[in-house]
Amino acid sequence: MKLKYLVTLAVIVTVAGVNAAIVTTVKGREKMDIKKEVFGTTKDGQEADLYTLRNANGLTIKITNYGGIVTELHVPDRDGNLDDIVLGYKSLDKYIANSPYFGAIVGRYANRIADGKFTLGGKEYTLAKNEKGINHLHGGTKGFDKVLWEAEPMETDEGPALKLSYTSADGEEGYPGQLNCTVIYTLTNNNELKINYEAKTDKATVLNITHHGYFNLAGQSSGDILSHKLMLNADFYTPVDKNLIPTGEIKSVSGTPLDFRKPTAIGARIDQVKGGYDHNFVLNKPERGALSLAAEVYEKGSGRMMQVFTTEPGIQFYSGNFLNGSNKGKGTVYNKHWAFALETQHFPDSPNKPHFPSVVLKPGEKYEHTAVLKFSTK
Ligand code: GLA
């Protein structure tokens, strides 16, 4: 008989006045860890924690319940050496002071809503125009990336997990309905970071939640990502105007620098794209809502590969265009193109584009979104 859950050990350790709870589970020969420590204090005096999860193969992730931010993610290269592949900061204060959504959960509406306005059920709603006074971006002034989530560590059959819950009040940031959200991060023993999003509302509303990781598969302090090879499983994209708002067209990528159907270096054609890549791609899907391959990124030096699977209809590929050396991260400043983001999502400005897949959630319905980031080497 396979001995499951052989030993479960809970130790409370006090390190320099900080309470750290370490739970070690030995499952046969597998070993998983979840550790909790204090990360810092928010401006209104609330404590934010930092959870460290380790899977059976030694992959490690650090997540704070402030904004649901993944602050570190250590994955092996082809020789088994672990390196942190996500941009971010070492302290909570820096995330609070100025972060371009590093590693955060973004909502209620990730990406842009034109003019900060939409109409639902005959009523017009006004949102903050927090991008240059023009667009509503990533949920507004205090989006999901800036709130404290309730956190619950969990040991699952797939690997260690952290369940985050947040109730967004009716009218918060201008959106209708009380929205109850959960996001579960699972670091599976198959070397995947699985993100499961769920939400329910008590009034019809719009939403689009995502995770805004900034990745550099060579390691977060190793320079630009222009030589990373990217494959996007998308025949079409949604062109944007000068304010990065979709024009409403669905255009073929064929013959454009946005054609990543065959793995191509991110830098190969970036000069032909004004400002760099910051586009929503329409994912090829066997059927609507299916969990299917959206993207694949490979970095030759380390041999690291990241595959992205999602149930969402779109993905935002952003080539770190706005990084300009002003963010002093973990031991280094981050310059232009030092990371890429692949945000699984509905299309930008969908509340104002009735022909785009619907982002409306009604009472009694459940919003569900899964994204899987699978790590391997070759
Ligand atoms: C998304 C957007 C970008 C930018 C980043 C954050 O990827 O599409 O334009 O706002 O978030 O800086």
Side-chain angles (χ1 to χ4, degrees):
M1 190 181 84
K2 200 175 169 195
L3 280 179
K4 270 194 160 188
Y5 302 105
L6 194 60
V7 187
T8 302
L9 217 107
V11 197
I12 307 294
V13 204
T14 304
V15 194
V18 175
N19 280 328
I22 301 175
V23 181
T24 304
T25 301
V26 182
K27 253 183 148 192
R29 291 178 57 228
E30 297 166 4
K31 193 168 174 287
M32 298 189 277
D33 284 311
I34 301 180
K35 190 178 106 186
K36 177 183 171 186
E37 61 199 299
V38 174
F39 194 41
T41 310
T42 62
K43 278 191 186 137
D44 53 5
Q46 286 176 286
E47 186 182 286
D49 296 318
L50 188 67
Y51 293 83
T52 305
L53 278 57
R54 199 176 74 188
N55 79 356
N57 310 313
L59 274 76
T60 305
I61 189 168
K62 293 196 181 199
I63 306 165
T64 171
N65 63 326
Y66 175 81
I69 297 170
V70 173
T71 64
E72 291 179 32
L73 177 58
H74 298 260
V75 307
D77 65 8
R78 66 162 78 78
D79 300 319
N81 302 313
L82 294 170
D83 206 347
D84 182 6
I85 59 153
V86 295
L87 275 57
Y89 297 122
K90 280 190 190 142
S91 71
L92 179 69
D93 294 351
K94 290 196 130 190
Y95 282 104
I96 293 174
N98 172 27
S99 172
Y101 308 92
F102 282 147
I105 296 168
V106 178
R108 292 190 187 189
Y109 202 94
N111 217 307
R112 299 175 172 80
I113 296 180
D115 212 19
K117 274 185 196 151
F118 69 93
T119 302
L120 185 64
K123 197 171 164 210
E124 186 174 85
Y125 293 91
T126 307
L127 312 167
K129 292 193 217 174
N130 58 315
E131 187 180 45
K132 299 177 200 149
I134 302 171
N135 303 317
H136 180 74
L137 176 69
H138 291 333
T141 314
K142 191 175 180 189
F144 288 178
D145 59 299
K146 295 182 186 69
V147 300
L148 270 189
W149 294 66
E150 219 173 274
E152 186 193 331
M154 303 189 301
E155 297 284 357
T156 76
D157 286 342
E158 290 182 299
L162 188 69
K163 179 177 179 183
L164 298 170
S165 311
Y166 177 65
T167 300
S168 174
D170 186 8
E172 188 175 287
E173 289 294 321
Y175 293 97
Q178 175 179 304
L179 196 71
N180 295 300
C181 310
T182 60
V183 176
I184 302 177
Y185 286 110
T186 308
L187 191 61
T188 77
N189 294 324
N190 291 326
N191 295 354
E192 300 154 326
L193 174 60
K194 198 183 254 192
I195 315 174
N196 290 98
Y197 308 79
E198 281 189 14
K200 284 188 168 176
T201 185
D202 63 0
K203 277 186 199 156
T205 191
V206 296
L207 78 160
N208 183 33
I209 314 177
T210 193
H211 168 72
H212 204 309
Y214 279 70
F215 299 93
N216 186 326
L217 299 184
Q220 59 92 25
S221 61
S222 65
D224 71 59
I225 46 76
L226 298 177
S227 66
H228 284 48
K229 281 201 171 162
L230 170 69
M231 187 286 295
L232 285 173
N233 187 12
D235 294 339
F236 296 92
Y237 74 107
T238 51
V240 286
D241 65 16
K242 64 174 190 331
N243 294 328
L244 298 178
I245 294 295
T247 58
E249 300 154 276
I250 308 267
K251 266 198 172 160
S252 168
V253 295
S254 181
T256 77
L258 283 81
D259 189 348
F260 280 98
R261 289 173 294 182
K262 293 204 180 84
T264 309
I266 291 174
R269 300 161 299 179
I270 200 166
D271 293 346
Q272 299 167 38
V273 186
K274 204 166 173 260
Y277 294 102
D278 198 351
H279 295 81
N280 171 62
F281 289 77
V282 179
L283 293 169
N284 300 334
K285 292 235 153 238
E287 61 186 282
R288 185 172 279 202
L291 181 67
S292 58
L293 182 68
E296 211 169 83
V297 193
Y298 177 64
E299 199 277 313
K300 208 164 116 199
S302 61
R304 287 192 188 93
M305 158 106 110
M306 178 171 109
Q307 289 171 305
V308 182
F309 300 82
T310 185
T311 52
E312 290 288 277
I315 199 163
Q316 185 83 5
F317 166 45
Y318 169 60
S319 53
N321 314 327
F322 302 131
L323 295 172
N324 59 8
S326 63
N327 303 107
K328 175 116 181 42
K330 294 173 274 186
T332 181
V333 294
Y334 300 129
N335 292 310
K336 193 168 180 177
H337 305 317
W338 273 36
F340 66 87
L342 287 166
E343 301 146 66
T344 55
Q345 63 179 5
H346 268 66
F347 306 169
D349 202 32
S350 295
N352 296 308
K353 303 278 188 306
H355 61 295
F356 283 178
S358 171
V359 290
V360 176
L361 183 74
K362 296 188 181 130
E365 295 175 346
K366 187 152 89 173
Y367 166 89
E368 284 176 296
H369 164 183
T370 300
V372 179
L373 312 182
K374 183 167 175 51
F375 300 99
S376 58
T377 57
K378 68 172 190 185

